Amino acid sequence: MTIKPPPGSTAVLAVRALARASRVLERSSAELNLAHYRVLSAIASGDERASRVAQRLALGRPAISSAVEALTKRGLLVRGDVDGDQRATALSLTPAGEELLARTEAEMVERVTGLAARTPDGDRLLETLVWLGAAIDEVMTEKAGTKPMTQPR
């Protein structure tokens, strides 16, 4: 007799794996927590306004303000003016922020590629995760009613 898994169990296992994967990423850097990594990477990807970073990361104003303040105090971000908009603040990485982001991403890439190498098709897994990122961007864009944040697949 063959035992069939309950409907949706693959999705449940995928959710659990993603939750565990986020913890693996979080532990890959002693210098930068995952929330601050997300903020730095969003800014490095071209989202220079705090409001845009908050939208991309689905964060509220207090959360993004707190992260920006902490990263600025650490010398990883600088605030600047946005031409034509006195209310907006432009964010950019400092050289120290760029270096820390590069180190952190190298550590994370090492962890993710190491895990992917243990799967039946690591390259396909990595490609699928990129697709997942694009799908997340599409959903966030639809919710915000704005232009896409990344290029379509």
Side-chain angles (χ1 to χ4, degrees):
M1 177 175 175
T2 303
I3 299 174
K4 291 187 177 183
S9 66
T10 300
V12 169
L13 293 175
V15 166
R16 291 175 182 173
L18 283 171
R20 290 177 25 232
S22 70
R23 186 67 179 145
V24 168
L25 290 176
E26 188 170 52
R27 288 183 171 178
S28 64
S29 174
E31 298 179 87
L32 194 63
N33 67 41
L34 197 52
H36 287 178
Y37 165 76
R38 292 173 61 215
V39 172
L40 289 180
S41 67
I43 294 167
S45 296
D47 291 325
E48 67 173 19
R49 291 185 185 204
S51 60
R52 190 87 164 118
V53 173
Q55 174 192 336
R56 180 181 179 101
L57 302 179
L59 295 172
R61 180 172 275 134
I64 194 68
S65 295
S66 175
V68 166
E69 184 64 27
L71 292 167
T72 300
K73 282 182 180 178
R74 287 181 63 188
L76 303 174
L77 282 183
V78 291
R79 293 180 177 108
D81 296 328
V82 174
D83 292 334
D85 190 346
Q86 294 177 343
R87 297 173 296 155
T89 301
L91 302 170
S92 59
L93 275 64
T94 63
E98 290 172 358
E99 290 173 20
L100 179 55
L101 179 62
R103 275 195 316 274
T104 300
E105 286 184 332
E107 293 164 351
M108 290 178 167
V109 165
E110 186 177 327
R111 296 270 179 114
V112 167
T113 56
L115 290 172
R118 293 172 172 262
T119 68
D121 191 345
D123 290 338
R124 177 103 185 212
L125 172 63
L126 294 174
E127 182 180 33
T128 301
L129 289 171
V130 171
W131 292 343
L132 179 62
I136 291 167
D137 287 343
E138 286 178 17
V139 168
M140 298 308 293
T141 298
E142 289 169 6
K143 286 183 177 184
T146 60
K147 290 190 269 182
M149 296 175 211
T150 61
Q151 295 298 316
R153 349 180 229 303

